[in-house]
Amino acid sequence: TQLLEQSPQFLSIQEGENLTVYCNSSSVFSSLQWYRQEPGEGPVLLVTVVTGGEVKKLKRLTFQFGDARKDSSLHITAAQPGDTGLYLCAGARQAGTALIFGKGTTLSVSS
Amino acid sequence: DAGITQSPRHKVTETGTPVTLRCHQTENHRYMYWYRQDPGHGLRLIHYSYGVKDTDKGEVSDGYSVSRSKTEDFLLTLESATSSQTSVYFCAISDRGTNYGYTFGSGTRLTVV
């Protein structure tokens, strides 16, 4: 059973388009994190959200944590080829335990 | 200036042989983790450590053991490698725990033939 479901699994878009990636669960998380991974490298932390309803913006990326702390979304405005990569959401169910990861969304942005 | 390094980066080994992967950090972080990443499964936790000599099992710990005798080193051992353990292995560190995010190493690609 996958605790964190990410959708879509693959996304191929043109430069300048907007997109949203979703991360859903039936479980409550104390925090949700988003990572970006490039081929041959480890994931890199983009953001952590901890409060239900929280919205964080990082340049063209907007992250939202659901009110019930069970889901999150990542919205990219005006995607660029440099945004290409694997986007992973990860949840912490309680302090002291390890992160649970979704399977990821592979994003390809072509110019 | 990487604060976390994994070695080796690539390894090919034969079925039935023991293999040890090393994770070394220079950040003095308390928490260290080993994950494996496979197509269709994402990142799955193997073992983690919350201090020197303090470790616990993760979701896919069968066939793996770990040791942490120093803050900076976390070793992952495949006791008798099998083809199902062919994977990319990632080490991660955290100073304040899960809610504050991880820093990952660059990974070790292990092939068991």
Side-chain angles (χ1 to χ4, degrees), chain A residues 2 30-31 33 35 37 40-45 48 50 86 88 91-103, chain B residues 9 31 33 35 37-38 40-45 48 50 59 88 90 97-107 109:
Chain A
Q2 187 71 19
S30 57
S31 74
Q33 300 164 24
Y35 292 78
Q37 184 178 18
E41 296 298 326
V44 175
L45 179 66
T48 299
V50 297
L86 176 66
L88 296 160
R93 286 200 288 179
Q94 62 188 72
T97 61
L99 284 176
I100 299 166
F101 283 82
K103 293 183 180 180
Chain B
R9 287 297 311 272
Y31 301 93
Y33 309 84
Y35 284 84
Q37 187 173 37
D38 304 287
H41 291 279
L43 282 158
R44 292 180 292 173
L45 181 69
Y48 66 100
Y50 45 95
E59 175 189 359
V88 181
F90 286 99
T98 298
N99 278 335
Y100 300 94
Y102 295 172
T103 300
F104 280 86
S106 296
R109 181 173 294 276

